[in-house]
Each structure stands twice: as C-alpha cells, then as structure tokens.
Amino acid sequence: MVLIAAALAACGIFTVVAIRHFDQKPAALSVRVTGIPAAVSTPLANLMALSPVPNKPAPNFTLTDQNGHTMSLAFFKGHAVVLEFMDPHCVDICPIVSQEFVDASHDLGATAPRVVFLAVNVNIRYSSVSAVQTYSREHRLDTIPTWHFFTGASRILQSVWRSYGVAVEVPHPNADIVHTSIVYFIDSEGRERFIAVPSDNHTEAGTAFLPPNQLVAWGQGIAIVARQLLK
C-alpha cells in the first residue's frame, strides 16, 4: 500500500519524505541534485533519494539506549552520525534499513569507529529498554559497536519526532505504526548535512523486501556519505 509522502518542513526546503509502505521503483534517472558528494554516483543518489539540507545544528535530544545508558546527541560530537527513526515492533521497512546499517558499518572498514549509527523509537506502545534491546539483537544491530537505539517517555519521544519532522500515526489500537522513514546524516560538528529516503517493495503476500543488489548499494551509499562528513 502506498501512503501519501510527507513534506519535511523542518529542513527548511520542500523535501518529499517516504512514509512506511512507500514502494519506490528505482527509475533510470540521469538528473543529479546539486550538492550531492562527488563520491556518490548519480544512480546511487537517486536510489537513496539523497538530498543536501541546510547546514544547521541537528536538534539535540537526551534519551536512553538499548543498554540502559542515557545520553544526548551532543555526546557524539566529533563523529559522523547516521540517524533513523525506527519501530522495534516493525516487520516492514525498519528491518530492511537495519540490514543496510549493518552492511554500511562493515563497508566503513577502518573508519567505522568514527561513525555512529542511531535510531529513535517511534512506537510508544513498545517504548521499554528491553523492546529496543530485543530488536537490536534480532536484527544484528548490536554487532555495530557504535549502535544506539534510543527510547524514552512518550512526551520526550514525540518532541524529538516533531523536531525532525517525523510523522507517526496509529490508525487504530491494534494496527501497525505508520511513520516517516528518513535517514539524517549529521557531520562531526553536529550539523545536518544530508537526508536519504529508505524504500521497500512488497510481494503479493505483502512481505516487505528490497532486491539484494539494492540492499548492497544502500549499505555502500550510507558508508560513502558518512565518510564525507568526516572530511
């Protein structure tokens, strides 16, 4: 099911952001968005829907990660940060993005310790530390040494969502969470530099997937962009 895309007003530009269940069919585009790092090919930039954003400080937040450690985004200054918003109960696009993060961490090689991978919980029904810890283990995110899946009180999470332009909806009490899926790339000075829009496809039975070549490309793309933030 394709849902209406949301405009990310917080970026200060009109950027179309995919909502979960958005099926993106990679197009044979040759158009290149101005400001994309030269190291990112045009086909890869199009696959990732990669866009530069105004160079401004990323909204700070203080939350608790999957290991029970409370820390702020500012704590990671000096590192490149790759930030997503995930549902620890998701069986759709979040596991796909998780695999892309794991692949990206491997692709970074010796640079990996300088890149931090973060997620903020979008599911207040599963907001416990154990929920984000279980998800991290199930999807091998805990194999990333710099991985942190943050959660916290409902009012604090909602404030973080708003500050990053993330829409979260619960159609009815027993329904899956529907949320904006977006990757923020934050440089070592704590400033927003790029966003990317994850996507997935679905089988006729409704199972989410991404072709293996696209999964690999996404991991490589995340690693390439993250390295640019350290220069």
Side-chain angles (χ1 to χ4, degrees):
M1 176 175 66
V2 177
L3 299 181
I4 299 174
L8 186 65
C11 286
I13 55 175
F14 185 78
T15 306
V16 176
V17 179
I19 303 295
R20 205 180 110 191
H21 300 305
F22 172 75
D23 292 326
Q24 177 180 315
K25 308 298 184 184
L29 300 175
S30 59
V31 176
R32 185 178 181 85
V33 176
T34 302
I36 298 297
V40 181
S41 70
T42 298
L44 180 56
N46 289 331
L47 172 66
M48 298 174 68
L50 186 67
S51 299
V53 294
N55 191 337
K56 64 178 184 179
N60 194 29
F61 56 80
T62 299
L63 292 166
T64 303
D65 74 2
Q66 75 278 5
N67 296 313
H69 300 145
T70 298
M71 57 189 72
S72 68
L73 177 64
F75 176 82
F76 301 104
K77 194 169 183 179
H79 295 76
V81 173
V82 183
L83 170 65
E84 240 285 25
F85 293 79
M86 291 185 178
D87 172 4
H89 201 243
C90 177
V91 293
D92 198 275
I93 199 169
C94 295
I96 292 172
V97 176
S98 298
Q99 181 61 56
E100 293 164 357
F101 276 16
V102 172
D103 290 348
S105 178
H106 293 158
D107 291 334
L108 282 165
T111 312
R114 300 179 62 196
V115 179
V116 177
F117 292 85
L118 309 181
V120 173
N121 190 358
V122 295
N123 192 335
I124 60 175
R125 294 182 297 183
Y126 292 87
S127 60
S128 66
V129 169
S130 62
V132 295
Q133 184 179 74
T134 297
Y135 180 91
S136 298
R137 289 173 176 169
E138 287 179 348
H139 297 283
R140 300 187 302 113
L141 287 160
D142 60 351
T143 65
I144 303 175
T146 58
W147 166 252
H148 301 270
F149 194 165
F150 286 114
T151 192
S154 174
R155 62 178 180 79
I156 299 176
L157 289 174
Q158 291 174 7
S159 176
V160 177
W161 304 340
R162 287 193 298 270
S163 67
Y164 281 90
V166 172
V168 179
E169 298 179 6
V170 185
H172 57 80
N174 296 319
D176 288 341
I177 298 294
V178 180
H179 65 92
T180 308
S181 184
I182 182 171
V183 178
Y184 278 88
F185 292 91
I186 301 168
D187 68 20
S188 57
E189 295 299 316
R191 304 183 71 84
E192 297 175 2
R193 297 290 300 281
F194 303 97
I195 59 169
V197 182
S199 61
D200 60 0
N201 299 320
H202 293 86
T203 65
E204 291 185 0
T207 302
F209 77 98
L210 202 61
N213 64 318
Q214 292 183 32
L215 272 174
V216 170
W218 257 97
Q220 293 171 342
I222 291 171
I224 291 170
V225 177
R227 284 196 195 97
Q228 303 306 303
L229 303 180
L230 294 169
K231 293 184 177 181

